[in-house]
């Protein structure tokens, strides 16, 4: 058993999920795991420190071996300057692996990642659409809203969760749509299992927990045809929207989707017979579960190599 420090920030969002996922993976292997805030000046001495998205030069000396798990959409020049200080860099996605392969890393591992299973099989689904933006403005919410402005009468009802008012992006709520505002983490599982269609056309993702959560819950998931989104969702059980390049975020180029493509995909998902929806939902869930288990196997192998 090794003493492992997970270094990041508990932000009640994606990084909080990352911390929980990595903690579970390491505890499965029998390691002693504690969390440390990357802003602290010190932490307990440990056999390995794993930095999730947020490296800290001040904390490197407290660990015998170190790992950096970057997100490409947040990777900045200051973090890149530190990247050769880490014994391992673990890549969640093919995109991150490609970017890191061009940087002076000591040892690069494609681990993938995992997402908690929040499915409630007995929950009755509404034949409606869920767009979960949360704190992020990088979910192509403008294209989603515009699709309902143009075609709302032909589409199922839409529910939007966002911690910000739509006017922040200059948007207005269309007919046949509601804005649920901020949703507590405890209520998220209820929403995930209530809505039949999950519309998550992200502009960029480090991993995309929201997309995978939908698959694990057996929903029909519509997302962007770009990595890592299209590694989660495949045409045989979901919908991939054509993507156009926009500005850079970190080390990746954001993607834009067209409202017309959004409307077409949602109409197709809504028109599926119940039997086909169930079959596609099972395929999507199986795909997500397999990727979860592949991550646990990759962490087992990578930790063995790191600590040897």
């Amino acid at each position: 058993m090794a003493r492992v420090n997970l270094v990041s920030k508990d932000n009640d969002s994606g990084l909080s999920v990352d911390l929980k996922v990595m903690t579970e993976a390491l505890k499965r292997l029998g390691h002693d795991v504690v969390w440390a805030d990357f802003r602290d000046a010190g932490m307990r001495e440990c056999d390995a420190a794993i930095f999730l998205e947020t490296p800290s030069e001040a904390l490197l000396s407290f660990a015998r071996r170190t790992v950096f798990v970057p997100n490409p959409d947040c990777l900045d020049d200051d973090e890149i300057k530190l990247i050769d200080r880490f014994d391992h860099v673990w890549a969640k996605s093919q995109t991150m692996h490609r970017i890191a392969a061009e940087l002076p890393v000591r040892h690069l591992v494609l681990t993938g990642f995992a997402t908690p299973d929040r499915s409630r099989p007995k929950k009755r689904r509404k034949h409606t659409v869920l767009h979960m933006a949360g704190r992020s403005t990088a979910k192509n919410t403008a294209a989603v809203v515009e699709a309902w402005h143009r075609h709302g009468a032909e589409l199922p009802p839409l529910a939007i969760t966002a911690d910000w008012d739509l006017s922040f992006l200059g948007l207005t709520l269309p007919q046949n749509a509601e804005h649920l505002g901020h949703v507590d983490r405890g209520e998220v599982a209820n929403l995930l299992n209530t809505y039949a269609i999950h519309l998550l056309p992200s502009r960029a993702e480090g991993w995309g927990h929201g997309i995978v959560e939908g698959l694990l819950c057996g929903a029909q998931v519509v997302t962007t045809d770009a990595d890592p989104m299209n590694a989660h969702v495949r045409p045989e059980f979901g919908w991939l929207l054509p993507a156009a390049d926009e500005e850079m975020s970190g080390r990746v180029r954001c993607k834009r989707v067209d409202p017309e493509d959004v409307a077409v995909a949602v109409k197709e998902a809504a028109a599926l017979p119940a039997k086909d929806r169930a079959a596609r939902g099972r395929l999507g869930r199986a795909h997500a579960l397999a990727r979860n288990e592949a991550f646990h196997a990759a962490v087992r192998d990578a930790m063995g190599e790191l600590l040897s």
Side-chain angles (χ1 to χ4, degrees):
M1 179 180 72
R3 289 158 58 94
V4 182
N5 293 359
L6 290 182
V7 185
S8 191
K9 56 183 176 183
D10 190 1
N11 66 350
D12 195 33
S13 189
L15 281 178
S16 298
V17 180
D18 287 0
L19 282 164
K20 292 174 183 176
V21 167
M22 191 65 78
T23 298
E24 179 190 350
L26 294 167
K27 286 188 173 181
R28 270 198 197 187
L29 300 173
H31 297 307
D32 171 25
V33 183
V34 300
W35 294 2
D37 193 297
F38 81 106
R39 293 162 291 196
D40 290 344
M43 62 181 181
R44 74 167 184 177
E45 293 187 352
C46 58
D47 299 299
I50 301 175
F51 294 76
L52 299 175
E53 188 183 281
T54 51
S56 166
E57 187 173 13
L59 298 180
L60 289 172
S61 62
F62 289 85
R64 183 172 66 86
R65 305 301 299 272
T66 56
V67 178
F68 182 30
V69 187
N71 284 329
D73 53 323
C74 301
L75 188 62
D76 62 28
D77 290 342
D78 289 337
E79 293 169 352
I80 289 172
K81 289 176 183 177
L82 290 176
I83 207 163
D84 64 349
R85 302 276 300 276
F86 292 91
D87 297 296
H88 279 197
V89 172
W90 293 357
K92 296 179 180 179
S93 66
Q94 291 286 353
T95 295
M96 188 64 247
H97 189 270
R98 173 181 53 78
I99 292 167
E102 299 174 355
L103 299 173
V105 302
R106 297 185 191 177
H107 184 68
L108 176 60
V109 182
L110 178 60
T111 58
F113 212 69
T115 295
D117 184 358
R118 309 177 77 178
S119 64
R120 296 176 182 172
K122 295 182 180 180
K123 182 77 175 177
R124 187 174 181 180
R125 289 194 178 277
K126 297 178 181 178
H127 201 50
T128 47
V129 183
L130 178 65
H131 174 69
M132 298 189 71
R135 295 179 178 179
S136 176
T137 58
K139 306 299 184 185
N140 268 309
T141 301
V144 171
V145 168
E146 181 59 24
W148 260 260
H149 274 302
R150 297 180 189 179
H151 302 284
E154 310 157 35
L155 299 174
L158 169 69
I160 301 170
T161 72
D163 293 4
W164 36 271
D165 192 270
L166 294 181
S167 62
F168 179 71
L169 294 182
L171 306 176
T172 58
L173 189 67
Q175 292 185 350
N176 204 23
E178 61 177 334
H179 183 212
L180 302 179
H182 171 77
V183 177
D184 292 335
R185 195 69 190 162
E187 176 62 15
V188 168
N190 183 52
L191 294 180
L192 290 170
N193 288 277
T194 297
Y195 291 82
I197 301 169
H198 291 197
L199 179 52
L200 300 164
S202 302
R203 301 180 73 236
E205 291 283 3
W207 174 247
H209 287 299
I211 296 167
V212 184
E213 285 174 335
L215 294 174
L216 288 167
C217 292
Q220 310 302 299
V221 180
V222 181
T223 191
T224 313
D225 192 5
D227 188 67
M229 293 76 78
N230 60 8
H232 300 312
V233 176
R234 306 302 306 143
E236 55 265 31
F237 54 78
W239 284 262
L240 295 170
L241 302 174
D245 287 343
E246 288 198 316
E247 75 279 4
M248 296 292 290
S249 176
R251 303 289 286 192
V252 295
R253 194 164 290 282
C254 292
K255 303 297 181 180
R256 180 182 72 254
V257 299
D258 191 290
E260 294 299 321
D261 292 327
V262 171
V264 168
V266 170
K267 288 178 185 178
E268 289 180 0
L272 279 179
K275 183 178 178 180
D276 292 346
R277 288 200 304 272
R280 291 169 70 98
R282 288 191 295 270
L283 283 175
R285 176 173 168 79
H287 179 72
L289 287 172
R291 285 168 63 80
N292 277 1
E293 286 307 310
F295 166 71
H296 285 283
V299 170
R300 178 198 63 213
D301 294 344
M303 286 297 292
E305 186 174 9
L306 180 74
L307 298 172
S308 62

